[in-house]
Tab-separated table of all heavy atoms in Angstrom:
chain	number	residue	atom	x	y	z
E	100	PRO	N	-36.772	129.768	-41.886
E	100	PRO	CA	-37.931	130.542	-42.363
E	100	PRO	C	-37.592	131.468	-43.525
E	100	PRO	O	-38.398	131.620	-44.453
E	100	PRO	CB	-38.352	131.316	-41.113
E	100	PRO	CG	-37.931	130.441	-39.979
E	100	PRO	CD	-36.655	129.810	-40.417
E	123	GLU	N	-47.398	139.451	-40.455
E	123	GLU	CA	-46.883	138.800	-39.249
E	123	GLU	C	-45.854	137.728	-39.600
E	123	GLU	O	-44.825	137.603	-38.915
E	123	GLU	CB	-48.037	138.189	-38.463
E	123	GLU	CG	-47.633	137.511	-37.172
E	123	GLU	CD	-46.971	138.463	-36.172
E	123	GLU	OE1	-47.277	139.684	-36.218
E	123	GLU	OE2	-46.151	138.000	-35.357
E	124	LEU	N	-46.097	136.978	-40.649
E	124	LEU	CA	-45.122	135.972	-41.068
E	124	LEU	C	-43.812	136.624	-41.517
E	124	LEU	O	-42.724	136.093	-41.288
E	124	LEU	CB	-45.700	135.122	-42.209
E	124	LEU	CG	-46.783	134.102	-41.821
E	124	LEU	CD1	-47.353	133.434	-43.066
E	124	LEU	CD2	-46.243	133.046	-40.857
E	127	ARG	N	-41.655	137.364	-38.671
E	127	ARG	CA	-41.069	136.145	-38.090
E	127	ARG	C	-39.992	135.534	-38.990
E	127	ARG	O	-39.494	134.454	-38.702
E	127	ARG	CB	-42.166	135.122	-37.796
E	127	ARG	CG	-43.187	135.628	-36.791
E	127	ARG	CD	-44.204	134.560	-36.426
E	127	ARG	NE	-45.216	135.087	-35.505
E	127	ARG	CZ	-46.153	134.355	-34.912
E	127	ARG	NH1	-46.213	133.044	-35.131
E	127	ARG	NH2	-47.024	134.916	-34.094
E	129	PHE	N	-40.159	134.843	-42.473
E	129	PHE	CA	-40.543	134.160	-43.703
E	129	PHE	C	-40.550	135.138	-44.877
E	129	PHE	O	-40.854	136.330	-44.722
E	129	PHE	CB	-41.932	133.522	-43.564
E	129	PHE	CG	-41.961	132.326	-42.642
E	129	PHE	CD1	-42.175	132.495	-41.274
E	129	PHE	CD2	-41.781	131.050	-43.128
E	129	PHE	CE1	-42.200	131.410	-40.420
E	129	PHE	CE2	-41.812	129.956	-42.283
E	129	PHE	CZ	-42.018	130.136	-40.928
E	151	LEU	N	-51.948	124.038	-45.599
E	151	LEU	CA	-50.601	124.305	-46.080
E	151	LEU	C	-50.394	123.434	-47.314
E	151	LEU	O	-50.477	122.214	-47.240
E	151	LEU	CB	-49.560	123.963	-45.006
E	151	LEU	CG	-49.759	124.609	-43.632
E	151	LEU	CD1	-48.614	124.226	-42.705
E	151	LEU	CD2	-49.857	126.122	-43.757
E	163	PRO	N	-43.618	121.405	-42.723
E	163	PRO	CA	-43.553	121.312	-41.259
E	163	PRO	C	-43.040	122.595	-40.602
E	163	PRO	O	-43.497	122.953	-39.514
E	163	PRO	CB	-42.584	120.147	-41.026
E	163	PRO	CG	-42.633	119.342	-42.271
E	163	PRO	CD	-42.840	120.324	-43.371
E	164	VAL	N	-42.089	123.268	-41.250
E	164	VAL	CA	-41.572	124.517	-40.671
E	164	VAL	C	-42.669	125.569	-40.632
E	164	VAL	O	-42.882	126.244	-39.610
E	164	VAL	CB	-40.357	125.010	-41.480
E	164	VAL	CG1	-39.923	126.390	-40.987
E	164	VAL	CG2	-39.197	124.028	-41.360
E	165	LEU	N	-43.392	125.732	-41.737
E	165	LEU	CA	-44.497	126.692	-41.753
E	165	LEU	C	-45.618	126.262	-40.812
E	165	LEU	O	-46.300	127.103	-40.206
E	165	LEU	CB	-45.039	126.834	-43.176
E	165	LEU	CG	-46.179	127.827	-43.377
E	165	LEU	CD1	-45.787	129.232	-42.931
E	165	LEU	CD2	-46.652	127.831	-44.833
E	166	GLY	N	-45.788	124.949	-40.633
E	166	GLY	CA	-46.839	124.449	-39.746
E	166	GLY	C	-46.632	124.812	-38.287
E	166	GLY	O	-47.586	124.798	-37.501
E	167	THR	N	-45.403	125.148	-37.889
E	167	THR	CA	-45.170	125.570	-36.504
E	167	THR	C	-45.837	126.919	-36.212
E	167	THR	O	-46.028	127.258	-35.042
E	167	THR	CB	-43.664	125.691	-36.226
E	167	THR	OG1	-43.083	126.659	-37.119
E	167	THR	CG2	-42.973	124.350	-36.424
E	168	GLN	N	-46.190	127.667	-37.264
E	168	GLN	CA	-46.794	128.984	-37.075
E	168	GLN	C	-48.315	128.930	-36.993
E	168	GLN	O	-48.949	129.907	-36.577
E	168	GLN	CB	-46.391	129.923	-38.232
E	168	GLN	CG	-44.898	129.942	-38.535
E	168	GLN	CD	-44.070	130.399	-37.355
E	168	GLN	OE1	-44.374	131.432	-36.730
E	168	GLN	NE2	-43.011	129.654	-37.037
E	169	LEU	N	-48.896	127.800	-37.380
E	169	LEU	CA	-50.350	127.685	-37.380
E	169	LEU	C	-50.738	126.288	-36.916
E	169	LEU	O	-50.631	125.314	-37.676
E	169	LEU	CB	-50.918	127.963	-38.780
E	169	LEU	CG	-52.444	127.877	-38.919
E	169	LEU	CD1	-53.130	128.875	-37.983
E	169	LEU	CD2	-52.869	128.134	-40.372
E	170	ALA	N	-51.151	126.182	-35.674
E	170	ALA	CA	-51.517	124.877	-35.115
E	170	ALA	C	-52.797	124.366	-35.755
E	170	ALA	O	-53.746	125.116	-35.984
E	170	ALA	CB	-51.699	124.993	-33.601
E	186	LEU	N	-50.329	129.203	-47.939
E	186	LEU	CA	-51.071	129.183	-46.677
E	186	LEU	C	-52.473	129.690	-46.980
E	186	LEU	O	-52.676	130.865	-47.272
E	186	LEU	CB	-50.403	130.065	-45.625
E	186	LEU	CG	-51.194	130.304	-44.333
E	186	LEU	CD1	-51.583	128.990	-43.662
E	186	LEU	CD2	-50.413	131.194	-43.381
E	192	PHE	N	-59.882	130.003	-38.679
E	192	PHE	CA	-58.642	130.727	-38.386
E	192	PHE	C	-58.941	131.989	-37.584
E	192	PHE	O	-59.839	132.759	-37.906
E	192	PHE	CB	-57.947	131.109	-39.702
E	192	PHE	CG	-56.731	131.958	-39.505
E	192	PHE	CD1	-55.520	131.389	-39.158
E	192	PHE	CD2	-56.810	133.338	-39.642
E	192	PHE	CE1	-54.390	132.173	-38.969
E	192	PHE	CE2	-55.693	134.133	-39.451
E	192	PHE	CZ	-54.480	133.551	-39.115
E	194	ASP	N	-55.893	133.515	-35.536
E	194	ASP	CA	-54.599	134.184	-35.570
E	194	ASP	C	-53.504	133.124	-35.636
E	194	ASP	O	-53.753	131.940	-35.376
E	194	ASP	CB	-54.418	135.061	-34.321
E	194	ASP	CG	-53.400	136.171	-34.553
E	194	ASP	OD1	-52.719	136.118	-35.601
E	194	ASP	OD2	-53.293	137.065	-33.707
E	195	LEU	N	-52.314	133.551	-35.969
E	195	LEU	CA	-51.181	132.634	-35.944
E	195	LEU	C	-50.852	132.236	-34.508
E	195	LEU	O	-51.294	132.889	-33.554
E	195	LEU	CB	-49.966	133.295	-36.588
E	195	LEU	CG	-50.055	133.595	-38.085
E	195	LEU	CD1	-48.818	134.374	-38.526
E	195	LEU	CD2	-50.193	132.323	-38.903
E	196	ALA	N	-50.105	131.179	-34.354
E	196	ALA	CA	-49.659	130.773	-33.016
E	196	ALA	C	-48.790	131.872	-32.425
E	196	ALA	O	-48.129	132.640	-33.150
E	196	ALA	CB	-48.872	129.472	-33.114
E	197	LYS	N	-48.806	131.992	-31.090
E	197	LYS	CA	-47.950	132.984	-30.448
E	197	LYS	C	-46.495	132.730	-30.843
E	197	LYS	O	-46.072	131.589	-31.009
E	197	LYS	CB	-48.101	132.903	-28.931
E	197	LYS	CG	-49.480	133.308	-28.440
E	197	LYS	CD	-49.541	133.238	-26.917
E	197	LYS	CE	-50.916	133.659	-26.425
E	197	LYS	NZ	-51.016	133.599	-24.942
E	198	LYS	N	-45.761	133.805	-30.985
E	198	LYS	CA	-44.384	133.677	-31.464
E	198	LYS	C	-43.549	132.790	-30.541
E	198	LYS	O	-42.727	132.002	-31.000
E	198	LYS	CB	-43.735	135.055	-31.581
E	198	LYS	CG	-42.363	135.016	-32.264
E	198	LYS	CD	-41.801	136.405	-32.433
E	198	LYS	CE	-40.476	136.359	-33.195
E	198	LYS	NZ	-39.493	135.442	-32.616
E	201	ALA	N	-44.503	129.251	-31.277
E	201	ALA	CA	-44.015	128.864	-32.591
E	201	ALA	C	-42.514	128.609	-32.563
E	201	ALA	O	-42.011	127.665	-33.196
E	201	ALA	CB	-44.361	129.932	-33.617
E	202	ASP	N	-41.786	129.444	-31.816
E	202	ASP	CA	-40.334	129.266	-31.718
E	202	ASP	C	-39.997	127.951	-31.017
E	202	ASP	O	-39.056	127.236	-31.416
E	202	ASP	CB	-39.704	130.443	-30.969
E	202	ASP	CG	-39.751	131.733	-31.777
E	202	ASP	OD1	-39.955	131.650	-33.013
E	202	ASP	OD2	-39.584	132.810	-31.187
E	204	ALA	N	-41.915	125.261	-30.934
E	204	ALA	CA	-42.260	124.174	-31.851
E	204	ALA	C	-41.205	124.025	-32.944
E	204	ALA	O	-40.854	122.903	-33.342
E	204	ALA	CB	-43.628	124.445	-32.479
E	205	LEU	N	-40.659	125.133	-33.408
E	205	LEU	CA	-39.624	125.083	-34.434
E	205	LEU	C	-38.332	124.471	-33.887
E	205	LEU	O	-37.642	123.707	-34.577
E	205	LEU	CB	-39.364	126.492	-34.966
E	205	LEU	CG	-38.437	126.611	-36.179
E	205	LEU	CD1	-38.999	125.822	-37.348
E	205	LEU	CD2	-38.249	128.072	-36.564
Side-chain angles (χ1 to χ4, degrees):
E123 181 61 28
L124 286 174
R127 299 185 183 187
F129 289 88
L151 307 183
V164 173
L165 181 58
T167 60
Q168 311 300 311
L169 180 59
L186 171 56
F192 175 81
D194 203 350
L195 294 174
K197 294 182 179 180
K198 188 176 184 307
D202 290 342
L205 188 59

